Amino acid sequence: MRKALVLLLGLLLSVAALWGSPQAEERSLTILGQADEDVTAYVLEQLAEQYPDVTVEFLQVDLSDGSTMTMDAMIAAGTPPDVYVDYMGRTSKYIDPAFALDLSPYIDAAEFIPGTLGPVTRDGKILGIPMPGGAQAMVINLKILDAIGESDFDFDNWTVDEFLYLAEKVKAETDAYATYLFAGNQSGDYLWFNWLASFGGRLYDPGDYSKTAINTEAGLQFFTFLQHLVREGLAPAEAAVLTDDDYALEWAKGKVFAGAWFPAWVKPYFDAVTKQGLGGADFEYRFVEFPRAAGVDSVPAAGSMAGVVVHR
């Protein structure tokens, strides 16, 4: 996290130079993004120290539906932010020469891992900055595992059939969800990416993003499996209208046996349910690889990363 802050701060300071200098009149810089209070305070403090003549405003993005609605609304109103920092799946929408500033003069491309700047580069112009992210795995609630008498279960190379065996026991013997699905907003992708990989499926073939590659036998097995989870009561019946907020709170309350999760999310959501008096946050957990269907050798971990775009 510290390295990510330093990288972001360096970029913002470079951009701030466009708006202010010791001799310039007072200017303003608007940053749209998502960050907790400590991160925001740190970035704003450093910017104020380096560029006291630049007034910086940090706006929190509205992620209630997982879309780019905040950014789109600001653009439609004619007041786009100067800097947009968010999940790369959203910021990449604005990696466009008509909108984004070429950042080539402000960064040293050699400092980036080879290949990471490729997706944000157009005709030799670097129109965005990839930021560090994280990988996820399936997190197992060990308290529930113990409650169903399976505390010694071996998760190494486990299968989808074994997952369903445990899921049925959770359904029969506890009041928890075996797993969780939601489609009430666009953030649900980080759940089903993993399950798609469990069946050996993929969204695109390597190097070809002109059409999806999900219309395969593996893709059919994957969609059939999701339907099975809901129809058999192994995931919430109302999954179509639930959101990531519902999932995160239910997980932290100890009401989900197994699901996709980022290690960095554990403490924030444990803290959230504790502060709200919702219970939970009292169980041990373990991260494991997602189970695999027959014929699948391994299941890659789904990842996520952030991105930065500067309005030209």
Side-chain angles (χ1 to χ4, degrees):
M1 174 60 74
R2 190 69 180 180
K3 291 182 178 179
L5 285 176
V6 171
L7 179 60
L8 175 58
L9 181 59
L11 173 64
L12 294 181
L13 291 177
S14 296
V15 174
L18 301 177
W19 279 266
S21 68
Q23 293 77 33
E25 62 184 43
E26 185 171 327
R27 303 294 180 87
S28 63
L29 176 68
T30 302
I31 304 170
L32 175 66
Q34 52 172 317
D36 59 35
E37 293 182 0
D38 291 340
V39 172
T40 302
Y42 173 78
V43 172
L44 295 182
E45 178 184 347
Q46 296 300 310
L47 284 169
E49 180 179 332
Q50 294 290 327
Y51 296 93
D53 58 309
V54 178
T55 300
V56 181
E57 181 181 18
F58 193 103
L59 303 176
Q60 289 285 353
V61 64
D62 184 346
L63 296 178
S64 58
D65 71 348
S67 74
T68 57
M69 65 176 181
T70 307
M71 185 67 166
D72 294 338
M74 294 181 71
I75 292 174
T79 57
D82 301 307
V83 181
Y84 179 35
V85 187
D86 200 356
Y87 163 56
M88 184 62 85
R90 287 184 285 268
T91 57
S92 60
K93 178 178 178 179
Y94 308 97
I95 303 296
D96 187 312
F99 180 88
L101 177 71
D102 179 12
L103 299 173
S104 302
Y106 308 102
I107 64 172
D108 182 358
E111 294 183 355
F112 290 81
I113 297 174
T116 56
L117 290 176
V120 296
T121 301
R122 303 288 186 275
D123 297 324
K125 297 180 179 180
I126 300 175
L127 302 179
I129 298 294
M131 296 287 289
Q136 65 180 234
M138 176 169 278
V139 63
I140 303 295
N141 183 316
L142 298 181
K143 185 176 181 179
I144 297 176
L145 187 68
D146 182 62
I148 61 174
E150 296 287 348
S151 57
D152 294 328
F153 185 85
D154 183 4
F155 288 97
D156 290 342
N157 301 318
W158 67 318
T159 67
V160 170
D161 286 341
E162 289 175 317
F163 166 81
L164 290 174
Y165 160 76
L166 294 177
E168 290 291 351
K169 294 194 70 173
V170 171
K171 174 186 173 183
E173 301 175 25
T174 77
D175 62 352
Y177 294 111
T179 190
Y180 210 93
L181 297 173
F182 63 88
N185 64 15
Q186 296 182 32
S187 294
D189 54 5
Y190 61 75
L191 283 178
W192 60 261
F193 278 157
N194 293 277
W195 281 121
L196 178 60
S198 286
F199 291 90
R202 62 173 70 242
L203 285 179
Y204 299 96
D205 288 324
D208 181 8
Y209 297 96
S210 62
K211 60 182 179 181
T212 65
I214 202 171
N215 187 20
T216 61
E217 180 61 29
L220 177 60
Q221 292 176 356
F222 155 68
F223 283 119
T224 302
F225 175 76
L226 295 189
Q227 290 181 324
H228 176 82
L229 293 178
V230 175
R231 289 173 178 171
E232 295 302 314
L234 304 178
E238 66 276 24
V241 297
L242 296 174
T243 70
D244 51 341
D245 290 334
D246 298 308
Y247 171 48
L249 291 178
E250 289 300 299
W251 180 86
K253 286 158 52 179
K255 297 299 184 180
V256 180
F257 167 61
W261 202 254
F262 290 97
W265 284 4
V266 174
K267 185 179 185 303
Y269 284 106
F270 271 7
D271 289 346
V273 296
T274 299
K275 290 178 180 178
Q276 296 177 53
L278 299 177
D282 60 350
F283 57 91
E284 297 294 323
Y285 54 88
R286 176 185 174 187
F287 284 93
V288 302
E289 182 182 288
F290 263 66
R292 62 192 69 176
V296 176
D297 295 328
S298 64
V299 181
S304 175
M305 63 190 303
V308 181
V309 177
V310 179
H311 186 220
R312 54 182 300 181

